[in-house]
Amino acid sequence: MNQKENEEKIDWNTVEEFKLSEAVLLLLDRIPTEDEKKRVLFDDPKLPDNVKRLKKEILQDILNLPIPHSGIISVSSVLTESKVHRQELTDFAKRKGLQPCFLFQTNKTNIKAPISKKEEDIDPRRRRTYLTLIRALLNKLEIDPSQKKLVPKIKGFVELAGLRLDENTIRNVLQELKDMDED
């Protein structure tokens, strides 16, 4: 049995202890392949911002590791691939409003394939342009992206347009808007 077959045979719903990189990917409903785990572990600069942000939050909130003001995490602090227990991840996910299917059986969403080239190759300038457009549209509609309970409202708007986005994606975009405002 090769490595890819091993990765596909893991029943993530029954695992009780996760490596840091597995936890990050699974919380985003992604299959943690060896390649993806390495990219997360070694802070691949092409990782999407939501992956980087989630890793940082897990390091701070669950593993209680200090993150320097620069936001750069030293490889030595995570090189050993710290372990995270299922209950810690469940509590963390609830605090963050995440509902990944490997933790919450009621969520019927399937785990997604590894991070695609399309997602990681968005030019930062283009990403900022998209975020600026979203920000302008929200301003025109007099919607404050930091307001409480906004995610379900936006999901409703998306569905009215005949489109689909999950709440985690919407939440991540709103967080990116917030981060952009802080820059």
Side-chain angles (χ1 to χ4, degrees), residues 38-172:
K38 286 177 188 169
R39 291 180 63 209
V40 171
L41 179 63
F42 296 109
D43 293 321
D44 183 332
K46 292 184 179 179
L47 281 174
D49 291 340
N50 63 334
V51 175
K52 294 176 191 174
R53 185 173 39 257
L54 190 58
K55 177 182 177 183
K56 181 178 172 182
E57 289 174 1
I58 290 173
L59 286 167
Q60 289 175 313
D61 296 356
I62 297 177
L63 301 174
N64 298 315
L65 292 175
I67 306 298
H69 181 65
S70 67
I72 298 169
I73 303 162
S74 78
V75 173
S76 63
S77 68
V78 293
L79 195 54
T80 58
E81 272 275 48
S82 302
K83 301 285 184 178
V84 182
H85 295 279
R86 177 174 290 277
Q87 189 57 53
E88 293 172 317
L89 279 180
T90 302
D91 295 343
F92 174 82
K94 286 178 182 176
R95 283 193 309 272
K96 298 293 180 183
L98 301 173
Q99 291 192 331
C101 59
F102 84 105
L103 287 176
F104 302 98
Q105 297 303 314
T106 57
N107 185 349
K108 301 295 184 198
T109 308
N110 292 327
I111 293 179
K112 298 172 192 153
I115 299 165
S116 71
K117 289 286 184 199
K118 271 188 176 177
E119 285 179 290
E120 72 182 31
D121 287 346
I122 295 176
D123 179 71
R125 291 173 295 184
R126 181 169 286 203
R127 177 182 232 60
R128 190 163 184 80
T129 299
Y130 292 153
L131 290 171
T132 300
L133 287 170
I134 293 168
R135 180 57 135 151
L137 291 170
L138 289 174
N139 283 345
K140 178 67 175 165
L141 295 170
E142 298 178 2
I143 297 174
D144 178 3
S146 63
Q147 86 184 50
K148 300 260 188 235
K149 299 185 181 181
L150 181 61
V151 173
K153 290 178 185 176
I154 292 177
K155 185 173 182 172
F157 297 154
V158 170
E159 289 171 351
L160 281 173
L163 304 170
R164 288 183 14 197
L165 279 178
D166 66 29
E167 289 189 2
N168 289 337
T169 301
I170 295 167
R171 196 172 288 108
N172 288 335

